[in-house]
């Protein structure tokens, strides 16, 4: 059974190898669409929009799953020393990468936002189920974590419905359920960031696991020969200049990988490999200088490198 639906700003694809009823599947997709409504910053009625609209004013009552996501988001901020920070929204809005209003902000404009980008001023009350942003002007953006959260939840729902074999592709983020029915692992390509969509640097075998990539090739604009992309460094409020083209990670939780690949991108290869090892996830970096670096865990995986691409250099464990 195959289903395609649009949510989280992207096309999402579910393929399962077991039979479940259409009704059950439709119910699961409705869950995903409801999550999109709830988490999107673009929908004016979303709970996230309410939190943002009341920044510096008052705390807002939210659903328990929002509390869960925000707590996780803050945890990934802590462990990445702020490389992942959902309060990045005012800066995201100023750059507008990928939208027709995209432009390079002035130093003065960026300076004005500095005190707002600070995950430590997200106040979460787990007893009252409320969230408060301390400073007026602050805003949160779950673009770096929402899709992963949704993917974990949809996987869980499919498994609970009896699915033992399947693959979810949410805008390039992969989650697999079990193995294929023929007993083979799911074989998934890792996008070559210097090539067109679908061209991979290699393939990896996955069983009941997720594969997530953060890359510059998805959303960017060019001005005077410089590329400006959508992953911002919360410390500079500018596109992260870490020499990274893409970072891919594998592990059990799509949400963890979604947040961590964004953080690993910002941190760059050296600090990023350390963090990946510390977190027990396997990661692969493709760098602007053409080199590839991987954690030892990644190197020892079922990874088949394709040789006919510009990034086919060394893999360093
Ligand atoms: P994608 O979802 O496009 O694959 P990411 O998961 O890396 O990419 O998330 C990028 C999105 O997250 C951006 O579009 C922006 O909304 C938000 N974002 C950008 N920089 C950061 C950051 N340093 N920390 C948290 N979120 C970020
Ligand atoms: Mg991410």
């Amino acid at each position: 059974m195959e289903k395609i639906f649009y949510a989280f700003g992207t096309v999402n694809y579910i393929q399962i190898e077991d039979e479940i009823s259409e009704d059950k599947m439709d119910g699961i997709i409705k869950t995903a669409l409801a999550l999109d409504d709830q988490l999107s910053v673009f929908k004016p009625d979303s709970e996230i929009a309410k939190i943002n609209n009341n920044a510096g004013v008052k705390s807002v009552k939210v659903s328990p799953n929002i509390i869960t996501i925000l707590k996780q988001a803050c945890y990934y901020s802590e462990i990445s020393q702020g490389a992942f920070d959902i309060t990045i929204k005012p800066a995201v809005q100023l750059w507008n990468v990928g939208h027709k209003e995209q432009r390079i902000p002035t130093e003065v404009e960026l300076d004005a936002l500095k005190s707002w980008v600070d995950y430590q001023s997200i106040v979460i009350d787990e007893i009252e189920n409320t969230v408060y942003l301390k400073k007026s002007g602050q805003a949160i953006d779950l673009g770096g974590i929402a899709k992963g959260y949704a993917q974990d939840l949809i996987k869980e729902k499919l498994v609970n419905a009896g699915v033992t074999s399947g693959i979810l592709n949410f805008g390039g983020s992969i989650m697999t359920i079990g193995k294929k029915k023929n007993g083979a692992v799911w074989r998934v390509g890792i996008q070559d960031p210097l090539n067109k969509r679908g061209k991979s640097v290699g393939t990896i075998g996955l069983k009941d696991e997720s594969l997530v990539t953060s890359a510059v090739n998805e959303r960017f604009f060019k001005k005077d020969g410089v590329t400006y992309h959508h992953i911002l460094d919360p410390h500079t409020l500018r596109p992260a200049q870490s020499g990274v083209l893409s970072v891919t990670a594998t592990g059990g939780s799509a949400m963890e990988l979604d947040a961590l690949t964004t953080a690993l991108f910002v941190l760059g290869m050296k600090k990023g490999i350390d963090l990946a090892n510390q977190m027990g996830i396997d990661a692969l970096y493709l760098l602007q200088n053409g080199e590839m670096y991987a954690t030892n865990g990644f190197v020892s995986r079922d990874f088949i490198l394709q040789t006919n691409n510009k990034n086919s250099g060394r893999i360093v464990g």
Side-chain angles (χ1 to χ4, degrees):
M1 181 186 255
E2 286 181 23
K3 288 279 168 187
I4 294 181
F5 62 98
Y6 191 87
F8 317 110
T10 188
V11 177
N12 306 285
Y13 171 80
I14 298 177
Q15 180 198 332
I16 57 168
E17 299 207 332
D18 308 86
E19 287 308 317
I20 64 170
S21 72
E22 284 284 342
D23 275 2
K24 197 132 219 166
M25 184 58 120
D26 288 347
I28 290 172
I29 290 172
K30 277 206 186 99
T31 307
L33 298 176
L35 265 182
D36 190 23
D37 281 342
Q38 194 191 19
L39 303 179
S40 173
V41 285
F42 299 113
K43 310 209 169 167
D45 301 331
S46 76
E47 293 189 30
I48 298 301
K50 277 192 196 123
I51 296 171
N52 292 344
N53 291 337
N54 287 293
V57 180
K58 61 173 190 210
S59 57
V60 172
K61 189 111 183 151
V62 295
S63 310
N65 62 342
I66 299 270
I67 300 283
T68 305
I69 299 172
L70 294 184
K71 276 185 61 191
Q72 286 291 317
C74 290
Y75 167 70
Y76 291 113
S77 297
E78 288 288 343
I79 56 133
S80 68
Q81 274 134 34
F84 181 81
D85 191 332
I86 56 170
T87 60
I88 194 77
K89 171 114 198 311
V92 169
Q93 234 167 343
L94 193 56
W95 285 89
N96 248 312
V97 177
H99 301 272
K100 67 174 191 301
E101 303 84 3
Q102 61 193 15
R103 66 179 179 89
I104 305 166
T106 65
E107 198 76 46
V108 174
E109 286 177 305
L110 288 172
D111 273 351
L113 308 181
K114 278 231 160 93
S115 69
W116 293 344
V117 179
D118 171 21
Y119 69 92
Q120 286 170 344
S121 38
I122 305 174
V123 183
I124 302 170
D125 184 333
E126 283 178 72
I127 296 162
E128 296 291 326
N129 271 341
T130 62
V131 179
Y132 174 53
L133 301 177
K134 281 185 187 165
K135 301 168 195 162
S136 110
Q138 281 197 299
I140 55 180
D141 172 352
L142 298 183
I145 194 168
K147 200 167 64 176
Y149 175 83
Q151 212 166 17
D152 286 340
L153 194 81
I154 299 307
K155 172 182 180 169
E156 190 187 307
K157 293 215 172 268
L158 288 166
V159 169
N160 289 343
V163 175
T164 58
S165 170
I167 187 161
L168 288 65
N169 182 341
F170 286 12
S173 295
I174 308 293
M175 174 58 93
T176 57
I177 302 173
K179 291 189 196 179
K180 288 181 156 186
K181 272 278 161 15
N182 67 11
V185 292
W186 296 98
R187 190 149 281 287
V188 175
I190 295 173
Q191 173 68 37
D192 179 352
L194 297 177
N195 224 317
K196 52 178 186 292
R197 194 174 267 253
K199 288 273 179 208
S200 54
V201 290
T203 63
I204 189 162
L206 297 175
K207 186 187 83 181
D208 225 21
E209 265 189 321
S210 177
L211 177 90
V212 178
T213 297
S214 275
V216 297
N217 59 313
E218 289 160 22
R219 265 179 288 153
F220 65 88
F221 66 93
K222 277 192 173 167
K223 186 111 206 295
D224 302 329
V226 181
T227 301
Y228 298 91
H229 56 79
H230 71 309
I231 301 171
L232 304 182
D233 181 338
H235 296 113
T236 63
L237 306 187
R238 297 172 181 280
Q241 286 183 312
S242 48
V244 178
L245 283 176
S246 78
V247 55
T248 297
T250 56
S253 158
M255 175 175 70
E256 172 171 47
L257 299 181
D258 199 0
L260 277 181
T261 54
T262 306
L264 295 187
F265 191 103
V266 171
L267 288 171
M269 187 272 289
K270 280 208 171 68
K271 285 186 183 165
I273 294 269
D274 285 348
L275 179 59
N277 283 328
Q278 178 198 322
M279 299 301 291
I281 60 159
D282 297 333
L284 172 75
Y285 273 95
L286 305 187
L287 302 184
Q288 276 163 4
N289 66 11
E291 290 183 349
M292 283 187 171
Y293 284 87
T295 58
N296 289 325
F298 196 95
V299 174
S300 60
R301 272 174 174 269
D302 175 11
F303 176 63
I304 301 169
L305 189 65
Q306 250 113 57
T307 49
N308 56 345
N309 64 70
K310 293 181 197 135
N311 268 83
S312 63
R314 300 172 294 137
I315 237 198
V316 185

